């Protein structure tokens, strides 16, 4: 394009010397699937605005061209506000848009599937990224630029990857707070917003704790495939975080504190006796 424009300018300028920059990129859409809070399609601006003169003058055209040609750059990329220094959205932005990871996300192996350019033979290409090294070592080469029609896949682990979760929770990848529902025999039942990384015991404390005559805890969790995980156990305030009786909570978890057998019996007696007591009271009012 530069050569063609220069040839046309020769009619008017002796030695035209021009430079061409892309000042705006078209929006891109990627699909995030697997073990994230909200899988689905997400759209991003193609780049940050390059109208800021300081940013514009700091750009290296060779670096920009290299990052565009090479879909999986190996060199480390400087980060700025979640975007690379070139102003492009990255895998990190896509994961953040999908509201972050779950306790079962395996971020040591994030798969990216990309449409290969026709000039490079077409078809699809694939790479794996290790976000553990990003969080632990600051390896920004793992946070690559995303392209239109990329598919980002997060594998699910069979067990909670506590170390990975802790590393991710120390970042701004996932929302700081998440909603859960607490019902049953607690002081203030209802929807409660808990901090990211909170456990079941912490959530119950936030609603004032359990009432007297409480029974088992009934814990429900729905995964992205609609499968329900059910647990029933005795409340153990000293249970270790991330244990069976004190799981790390995720968005949408349901916690129900059941009544004890004695508590249920008391309710039944009250229901049976109350009409009798009320009838006797009415009788006394009209006969006195």
């Amino acid at each position: 394009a530069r050569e063609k424009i220069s040839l046309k300018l020769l009619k008017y300028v002796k030695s035209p010397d021009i430079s061409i920059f892309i000042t705006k990129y078209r929006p891109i859409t990627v699909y995030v699937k697997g073990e994230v809070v909200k899988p689905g399609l997400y759209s991003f601006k193609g780049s940050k605005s390059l109208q800021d003169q300081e940013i514009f003058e700091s750009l290296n055209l060779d670096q920009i061209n290299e990052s565009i040609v090479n879909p999986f750059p190996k060199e480390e990329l400087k980060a700025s506000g979640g975007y690379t220094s070139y102003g492009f959205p990255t895998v990190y932005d896509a994961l953040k848009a999908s509201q972050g990871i779950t306790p079962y996300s395996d971020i040591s192996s994030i798969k990216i599937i990309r449409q290969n350019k026709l000039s490079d033979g077409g078809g699809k290409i694939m790479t794996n990224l290790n976000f553990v090294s990003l969080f632990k070592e600051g390896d920004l080469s793992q946070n690559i630029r995303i392209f239109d029609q990329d598919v980002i896949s997060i594998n699910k682990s069979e067990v909670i990857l506590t170390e990975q979760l802790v590393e991710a929770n120390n970042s701004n990848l996932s929302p700081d707070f998440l909603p859960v529902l607490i019902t049953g025999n607690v002081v203030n039942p209802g929807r409660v917003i808990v901090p990211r990384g909170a456990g079941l015991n912490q959530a119950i404390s936030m609603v004032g704790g359990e009432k007297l005559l409480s029974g088992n805890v009934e814990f429900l969790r729905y995964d992205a495939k609609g499968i329900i995980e059910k647990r029933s156990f005795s409340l153990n305030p000293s249970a270790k975080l991330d244990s069976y009786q004190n799981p790390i909570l995720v968005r949408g978890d349901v916690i129900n504190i059941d009544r004890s057998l004695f508590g249920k019996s008391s309710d039944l007696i009250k229901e049976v006796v109350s009409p009798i007591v009320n009838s006797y009271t009415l009788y006394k009012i009209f006969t006195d």
Side-chain angles (χ1 to χ4, degrees), residues 3 31 40 47 55 80 83 93 105 114 131 150 157 178 224 227 245 254 283-284:
E3 290 175 357
Y31 185 68
S47 71
I55 297 177
S80 175
Y83 286 76
D93 298 304
S105 301
R114 177 167 298 169
F131 263 37
D150 276 359
S157 169
L178 51 92
I227 299 174
Q245 292 177 296
V254 178
Y283 173 77
K284 293 292 291 180

Side-chain angles (χ1 to χ4, degrees), residues 86-98:
Y86 312 133
F88 302 127
T90 66
V91 174
Y92 195 95
D93 298 304
L95 296 183
K96 193 170 182 179
S98 61

Side-chain angles (χ1 to χ4, degrees), residues 79-271:
S80 175
Y83 286 76
T84 67
S85 58
Y86 312 133
F88 302 127
T90 66
V91 174
Y92 195 95
D93 298 304
L95 296 183
K96 193 170 182 179
S98 61
Q99 298 187 18
I101 62 174
T102 78
Y104 295 93
S105 301
D106 184 3
I107 58 174
S108 66
S109 181
I110 300 174
K111 183 185 296 183
I112 314 295
I113 300 174
R114 177 167 298 169
Q115 297 285 344
N116 199 16
K117 294 181 295 182
L118 291 176
S119 58
D120 290 337
K124 294 183 179 181
I125 54 177
M126 188 268 291
T127 192
N128 283 294
L129 304 173
N130 183 358
F131 263 37
V132 175
S133 64
L134 171 66
F135 292 128
K136 295 184 71 173
E137 303 164 15
D139 182 6
L140 294 174
S141 66
Q142 302 300 311
N143 186 29
I144 64 174
R145 176 188 172 188
I146 52 177
F147 285 73
D148 194 39
Q149 299 184 43
D150 276 359
V151 176
I152 303 168
S153 179
I154 313 296
N155 289 329
K156 181 178 180 179
S157 169
E158 295 299 323
V159 296
I160 294 179
L161 301 174
T162 306
E163 183 181 358
Q164 293 190 22
L165 184 64
V166 169
E167 293 293 340
N169 281 343
N170 289 331
S171 71
N172 63 348
L173 180 63
S174 299
D176 291 333
F177 299 92
L178 51 92
V180 297
L181 181 65
I182 304 180
T183 62
N185 202 41
V186 292
V187 176
N188 295 301
R191 185 174 181 267
V192 61
I193 306 299
V194 301
R196 180 180 62 203
L200 178 141
N201 286 340
Q202 183 177 349
I204 293 175
S205 296
M206 290 177 65
V207 295
E210 61 176 337
K211 292 181 180 179
L212 294 175
L213 305 180
S214 291
N216 281 347
V217 177
E218 296 171 343
F219 176 74
L220 300 177
R221 173 172 293 169
Y222 300 83
D223 68 11
K225 296 181 181 179
I227 299 174
I228 303 175
E229 177 189 348
K230 298 180 180 180
R231 302 184 191 180
S232 181
F233 49 85
S234 300
L235 184 64
N236 181 6
S238 61
K240 183 180 178 181
L241 182 64
D242 193 25
S243 63
Y244 185 83
Q245 292 177 296
N246 189 22
I248 295 175
L249 300 176
V250 301
R251 174 184 291 269
D253 281 349
V254 178
I255 303 166
N256 179 64
I257 308 296
D258 201 6
R259 296 272 286 173
S260 67
L261 183 61
F262 181 75
K264 292 177 181 178
S265 300
S266 300
D267 289 340
L268 179 60
I269 293 172
K270 183 178 180 181
E271 288 181 10

Side-chain angles (χ1 to χ4, degrees), residues 18-90:
I18 67 169
S19 296
I20 298 176
F21 297 91
I22 299 174
T23 58
K24 187 176 182 180
Y25 290 80
R26 64 185 175 88
I28 66 170
T29 299
V30 301
Y31 185 68
V32 184
K33 68 176 187 176
E35 198 61 20
V36 291
V37 176
K38 287 284 186 180
L41 285 170
Y42 292 93
S43 296
F44 300 88
K45 292 182 179 180
S47 71
K48 284 186 174 180
S49 172
L50 301 185
Q51 295 177 356
D52 187 311
Q53 192 62 29
E54 291 183 1
I55 297 177
F56 189 84
E57 292 176 352
S58 69
L59 294 177
N60 182 304
L61 188 58
D62 292 333
Q63 288 181 320
I64 295 175
N65 287 335
E66 183 181 354
S67 71
I68 294 172
V69 172
N70 183 0
F72 299 122
K74 301 299 181 183
E75 74 275 12
E76 288 192 357
L77 302 176
K78 296 180 180 179
S80 175
Y83 286 76
T84 67
S85 58
Y86 312 133
F88 302 127
T90 66

